[in-house]
Amino acid sequence: MITWICSYQLFIYMYIAIGVIIIILGFVSLRVIKEYDRGVIFFLGKCTGARGPGLIILIPIIEQMALVGLRTVTMDIPSQKIITKDNVSIDIAAVAYYHIVDAQKSVISIEDVYSAVLQISQTTVRNVVGQFKLDELLSQTPLINKKIKDVIDSHTEPWGVQVTVVEIKDITLPENMQRAMAKEAEAERERRAKIVAAEGEFQAAVKLGEAADIISSHPVALQLRTLQTMAEISVEKNSTIIFPAQFMTTVSEAIKMIKGDSA
């Protein structure tokens, strides 16, 4: 009887232990994957695909999971010295945005996605910028950014990575080049100022010629213009006395007439 009771208690303890083990394994096998993550599953070392988002069940010991994020990653491309096509040494820093579109490829095809994208971005920026002159680099930045992005994207596509944007954010020029460009910009501004002034003088001369033609065909217009000028001057508080040319001519004629009458 005592032996039977001991055996019964042993079975109870075994059932309790098995139940606890099952509960523990159940908690261990349950995984929650967020919306912006994917879990790449390996069954006995063989990739069986990606799961998620939501609640998934993993077979303990037999199945393993590698978690991969799908959100866009902002990656700074460190500043590096680059020699342009016209042999100017500059420092360029850029920024790249990429995200993983195939979680399975990003785990199987490459060991470290971030490091790989960073290295290929640095070499691509150096190679692409070296194909352009300094003036082209400063004036065609959007075109160069797109070309860098396309080259990087072509390299990262087999890794399940898509590069969305690459932007050159800083260009540092040597001091002597900065001084030369400042002088060039100043000379260019002076040239434009002289051209604008010359064009203004030319247009003013043309308009004055047209006005002279109109006044010559209408003698009264000159007198009206004289009266208008006198009215504008009289507004100011001054002691200036103006004798219009027509008035002086009239006075001269009157003096001649008086002299003629006296003779």
Side-chain angles (χ1 to χ4, degrees):
M1 183 69 179
I2 296 175
T3 305
W4 183 81
I5 293 175
C6 292
S7 300
Y8 179 74
Q9 291 178 349
L10 180 63
F11 278 116
I12 291 176
Y13 291 149
M14 289 178 60
Y15 286 139
I16 293 175
I18 293 172
V20 171
I21 292 173
I22 292 174
I23 292 174
I24 293 173
L25 291 177
F27 279 109
V28 171
S29 61
L30 294 178
R31 301 291 176 84
V32 177
I33 300 179
K34 297 179 180 179
E35 182 69 28
Y36 51 80
D37 291 333
R38 294 294 183 273
V40 181
I41 309 301
F42 293 90
F43 182 83
L44 295 177
K46 183 179 180 180
C47 182
T48 58
R51 298 180 189 175
L55 181 66
I56 65 172
I57 298 175
L58 295 178
I59 302 175
I61 302 174
I62 297 177
E63 287 185 338
Q64 295 179 346
M65 182 183 70
L67 194 64
V68 179
L70 303 182
R71 290 181 291 183
T72 299
V73 178
T74 303
M75 182 183 65
D76 286 328
I77 302 176
S79 178
Q80 54 183 327
K81 287 189 176 297
I82 301 175
I83 299 178
T84 61
K85 190 176 181 180
D86 51 351
N87 297 324
V88 178
S89 179
I90 58 176
D91 292 339
I92 285 186
V95 60
Y97 298 86
Y98 73 89
H99 64 277
I100 294 175
V101 294
D102 192 327
Q104 186 172 338
K105 287 183 179 181
S106 66
V107 174
I108 298 175
S109 302
I110 194 72
E111 181 179 1
D112 187 349
V113 172
Y114 183 87
S115 178
V117 176
L118 176 60
Q119 296 298 323
I120 195 64
S121 298
Q122 287 181 325
T123 56
T124 302
V125 169
R126 183 170 59 251
N127 294 335
V128 173
V129 171
Q131 300 174 6
F132 293 86
K133 297 181 180 179
L134 180 59
D135 293 339
E136 296 173 347
L137 178 62
L138 298 176
S139 61
Q140 302 179 13
T141 303
L143 177 63
I144 297 174
N145 291 336
K146 185 177 183 305
K147 188 172 183 179
I148 294 173
K149 189 271 273 188
D150 293 339
V151 175
I152 298 175
D153 196 30
S154 64
H155 286 89
T156 60
E157 184 179 0
W159 308 336
V161 176
Q162 181 181 9
V163 179
T164 54
V165 178
V166 176
E167 292 287 342
I168 295 175
K169 65 178 183 178
D170 187 21
I171 300 176
T172 305
L173 302 175
E175 293 184 1
N176 57 349
M177 183 58 64
Q178 293 180 11
R179 290 193 295 268
M181 293 182 66
K183 291 180 181 179
E184 181 182 358
E186 184 178 359
E188 178 67 19
R189 287 194 295 269
E190 291 180 356
R191 183 184 69 86
R192 292 179 181 178
K194 291 180 180 179
I195 291 175
V196 171
E199 289 180 352
E201 292 291 339
F202 175 77
Q203 294 177 3
V206 172
K207 295 299 181 181
L208 287 174
E210 294 177 355
D213 294 338
I214 296 174
I215 291 175
S216 63
S217 60
H218 300 280
V220 180
L222 180 59
Q223 297 180 3
L224 294 175
R225 180 59 182 165
T226 303
L227 294 174
Q228 183 181 1
T229 304
M230 293 176 64
E232 293 175 355
I233 295 175
S234 63
V235 175
E236 299 293 336
K237 295 181 179 180
N238 52 45
S239 59
T240 304
I241 300 175
I242 300 174
F243 293 96
Q246 294 87 348
F247 177 77
M248 296 302 296
T249 303
T250 305
V251 172
S252 299
E253 292 178 353
I255 293 173
K256 290 181 180 180
M257 184 180 297
I258 294 172
K259 289 182 179 180
D261 293 339
S262 299

